[in-house]
Each structure stands twice: as C-alpha cells, then as structure tokens.
Amino acid sequence: MAKILVTGAAGFIGSYVVSRFAERGDEVTGLDNINDYYAPELKFGRLRKQGITATEVGVAGELSRDNFPWYKFIGSSRWANYRFIRMNLEDTDAMSMLFANGGYDIVVNLAAQAGVRYSITNPHAYIESNVDGFINVLEGCRHNKVGHLVYASSSSVYGLNGKVPFSEHDGIAHPVSLYAATKKSNELMAHAYSKLYGIPTTGLRFFTVYGPWGRPDMSPFLFIDAILHDRAIKVFNNGDMLRDFTFIDDIVEGVVRISGVTPDGNPEWDETHPDPATSTAPYRVYNIGNSQPTRLMDYISCIERAIGREAKKDFLPMQAGDVYQTYADSTALAEATGFKPCTPLQSGIDRTVAWFKEYYGL
C-alpha cells in the first residue's frame, strides 16, 4: 500500500485515477480547486462518485482564505482510505504544508488549466496553474523525499512535428499553442529537478482522451449534445484532420501502471546524440495513445451510429492552435508496463453516448 497524492481529483482523468488507487487499497489524498472553467456541476458529480458531497466542498468559484471550507480534509463515505482537499496548486504556503504533513510515496499531478483554444484568449490562467502550480508540486517533492512524481503532459507538445507516429524520442521544439508550451515547460522543469535533486519524474503525453464523465468542452461532449438536440456540429479544417482517440480506461490503466515504474536514469544516454525521452537523471517521458489515428469524419460517423441520427455539419477552417494530426507511438509504454491502449473507437463512443444520455436524462 502506498500513500498517494492525486491533483486534479475532480477532473476527468483525475477522478478515475483516484478511484483506481482507492479501490486497490492505497492511502489516497485527492486535491482540486473546483474552478469554473467548465460547469462545476460535472466536477461535483465526479466527487459524489468518490463519496465526497458538494455541501462539504463548498460552492464553485473563487477559492480564498475567506471561503468555506478553506483547505479542510473531507473523508470519503465510499472509501475509508480516501480523503479530499480543496486547494489551489498556486498557493505556495498551503502546498508546502500539505506535502510536509502528507508523507507521500507517489504524487500524480493531473491538475492543470486545460484547453488549447482557451489558451488563446486566457493566457495568464495557463501560467498560473500549469507553471506556477507545477513548481509548487516539484518543490513539495524535493523537500519531502517523494519517491516518484508522475505528471500529465500532452500530445500537443509535438506541435509542428510532421513525423508520424509521434515518438518520445522526437524533438518537440515547435509547440503551436500556449497550452502546449506550458506542458513542454513542465517536462523541462521536471528534468531539471530530476537532475538537480534526484527526484524520479515521469511525464505522460496523453492523446485525445474521451469517455464517460469527460470534459464538456471536448468534441465528444459537444458533438453528442448537438446531435441529440438537432444542432449543427462545428467541423474544423473541413473535416480533414486526424486524431488518436484514446479511451479513458486505457489512459487510467497506463497512469496506474507507470506509477509503479520508477525511472532510475539511462546509463546509455549519449550527450552527443541526446534522447529527449530519457536522461542520465531519473527522468522519463511516455506517450499514452491508442496508436490508431482516425479521420474526423470517421469519428463523427461513430457518434452518428451510436446515436442513430445523422449530424448537421457546419464546415469551418482550421482553428488557431490546432494541429492537423496526432498519432502516438506507445511502444515504450508497452515495454515498460506490459500494457498498450486498445479500446476500439466505436466501443468507446458507444459507452460515452450511453453515459451522456443517462446523465442528462435524454
């Protein structure tokens, strides 16, 4: 049994990861600030599944020392080994106290300001959460001898890289959104702390995650909602895009397995031909993707089949910050953990549509 801190515990991926660790008997602390980037009701719904009620957490909105409850641990009614705390990663003093008293063996940092397009209009939110918040996580690990830091990166770091499939051994010098740049910064910051202080760190580049309880700003939610309500869906780049859609269960399996694989440095690392995925320091980066890129129009067809209705389509040009395709090479993950994402897209879409209808009473 390990003592594990999971940040972003009310988020899409984080809520699933918390459940997996708690169910296997680990002592888990979940952290989230319950911001209003998207409808907080969905976050409260995920918390209810964990045995945490909204009345205990407090209302959504700004979290400050004057709000109820300020950094109060809330025990789960579902798992005796799980507790939740509402906290901002950017609160340096509070994060320092949390780490000092937590005694964590593993930290899984999934908290971040998400969304590529949102970063175009709200850049400061990304620096505050994804950079300022992440340095507090790194400092907490540094000063409290955390055995392994696992953190969320993103497939968006590949940016203008045209070589497919995307490999962790490829360079990531040209991100095309501030969101991607902050995720690349996380990888650079993690490497610096691994090298300076010997902290084992593992970055996970997620590829287009979807599934039940997903984010409402992502295309599955937007498309399903529009089709069910007879509204047109927005199809960017006139449908000429590819995405490596990865079902949430596969993402969580990868996160949980990799948390038990602590990097110890690559003894064959060559400074004259440096490998971006490894280092002489205890540092590693992995892709987690289905390795089966799907054309946007085929993806829409999967949703149409699951719903039993054809979508109205509004064809639009490529949006700023988007990339033409994503395609994961997940070989390294399979070699390290014995697991490779494999959920067929139609199966995952069917489950997502069924959840959506049930959750919204449609």
Side-chain angles (χ1 to χ4, degrees), residues 38-241:
Y38 59 81
E41 289 76 19
L42 192 59
K43 300 177 183 181
F44 288 128
R46 297 175 187 137
L47 288 173
R48 282 194 298 273
K49 287 185 61 184
Q50 301 172 359
I52 307 295
T53 66
T55 54
E56 294 175 298
V57 175
V59 298
E62 183 181 1
L63 180 61
S64 73
R65 295 171 187 263
D66 298 325
N67 287 356
F68 169 83
W70 182 63
Y71 302 156
K72 165 185 155 187
F73 286 110
I74 301 166
S76 168
S77 61
R78 182 175 180 183
W79 299 295
N81 53 318
Y82 177 58
R83 62 180 186 170
F84 175 82
I85 187 167
R86 186 175 176 187
M87 182 180 289
N88 279 319
L89 289 188
E90 306 95 288
D91 191 326
T92 301
D93 292 341
M95 288 289 289
S96 178
M97 291 177 62
L98 177 69
F99 272 89
N101 293 303
Y104 302 115
D105 304 304
I106 299 169
V107 172
V108 181
N109 184 59
L110 301 172
Q113 178 58 59
V116 169
R117 294 176 190 137
Y118 188 75
S119 69
I120 304 295
T121 55
N122 298 274
H124 294 288
Y126 290 77
I127 301 302
E128 291 167 2
S129 178
N130 301 5
V131 178
D132 295 345
F134 191 60
I135 195 65
N136 286 338
V137 172
L138 287 170
E139 280 288 280
C141 293
R142 169 195 174 190
H143 291 293
N144 296 280
K145 295 182 171 53
V146 171
H148 190 192
L149 168 61
V150 179
Y151 61 95
S153 185
S154 168
S155 62
S156 65
V157 300
Y158 288 105
L160 294 178
N161 177 31
K163 174 180 169 291
V164 293
F166 295 160
S167 169
E168 304 95 331
H169 307 293
D170 296 335
I172 54 169
H174 301 96
V176 296
S177 71
L178 180 63
Y179 170 71
T182 62
K183 288 300 184 179
K184 178 182 176 181
S185 297
N186 287 171
E187 295 183 8
L188 296 172
M189 294 161 70
H191 181 268
Y193 270 66
S194 291
K195 185 66 175 177
L196 287 170
Y197 309 114
I199 303 168
T201 66
T202 300
L204 301 176
R205 295 172 178 169
F206 299 140
F207 280 71
T208 317
V209 189
Y210 74 100
W213 295 98
R215 283 176 23 216
D217 61 317
M218 296 291 286
S219 65
F221 188 111
L222 295 171
F223 287 1
I224 294 168
D225 186 59
I227 295 170
L228 287 173
H229 292 93
D230 202 31
R231 299 193 310 270
I233 63 174
K234 295 179 179 180
V235 183
F236 294 112
N237 205 39
N238 297 306
D240 185 21
M241 299 171 72

Side-chain angles (χ1 to χ4, degrees), residues 275-292:
D275 174 10
T278 65
S279 172
T280 54
Y283 167 89
R284 194 65 169 90
V285 173
Y286 294 96
N287 290 333
I288 301 187
N290 211 37
S291 302
Q292 295 185 20

